[in-house]
Amino acid sequence: MTDSQKITVQRSIDASAADIFDVLSNPKRHVELDGSGFVRSDEKAERIQQVGDVFRMNMAGDHMGGEYQTDNTVSGYSHNALIAWKTAPADTPPPGWEWMWELTPEGPSSTLVSLTYDWSHVTDKEILQKVSFPLVEKSQLEDSLGNLASAVSG
């Protein structure tokens, strides 16, 4: 699904929701998942355990002039079912875009994974002029799902 301010992709992955959630809740594994090529590494991040947790990531991209860091504030959390975070440049409040992973078991060893990139809450006119949304394309989100499938099977 794609609308003017949100993209959602889905894929069935041959792994339990628990195994998938274990990977998603560990920021140290996010570099393996990233289909955009922006994520470089985590910055001493701990496992995500609840809404309000914050984890920092080391990133790189021309849209930010090279290397930069993000703070990711967990905005949704349901063990083995949902994990979401709002991303912001390090040490700034989230400006309104969010990443959400939803897990729907299709059996003991298969899970439908939905990944949503939503920038509908970005209202800062300066950011909207500076950043050309979507910064991450649908194909890159699909690559992230493929990377997740590889990460849980390995």
Side-chain angles (χ1 to χ4, degrees), residues 13-25 103 111 113 148 152:
I13 294 179
D14 293 332
S16 70
D19 288 346
I20 293 169
F21 193 84
D22 185 65
V23 171
L24 293 174
S25 64
L103 310 178
T111 305
V113 180
L148 175 61
V152 295

Side-chain angles (χ1 to χ4, degrees), residues 26-113:
N26 183 356
K28 295 177 186 333
R29 307 260 339 245
H30 288 192
V31 69
E32 295 173 61
L33 310 180
D34 176 42
S36 71
F38 297 145
V39 178
R40 296 296 182 246
S41 64
D42 73 292
E43 183 65 22
K44 302 177 191 133
E46 299 295 323
R47 182 172 296 277
I48 298 165
Q49 297 184 38
Q50 63 190 353
V51 169
D53 284 355
V54 177
F55 60 97
R56 183 167 282 186
M57 300 300 288
N58 297 309
M59 313 283 286
D62 292 342
H63 63 287
M64 292 291 283
E67 293 186 10
Y68 63 101
Q69 289 185 318
T70 59
D71 285 339
N72 302 278
T73 302
V74 177
S75 54
Y77 183 95
S78 178
H79 189 70
N80 292 344
L82 168 81
I83 195 160
W85 56 84
K86 294 181 178 178
T87 299
D91 299 316
T92 67
W97 60 88
E98 182 176 44
W99 302 92
M100 182 175 2
W101 298 82
E102 297 172 278
L103 310 178
T104 305
E106 297 181 310
S109 60
S110 182
T111 305
L112 179 64
V113 180

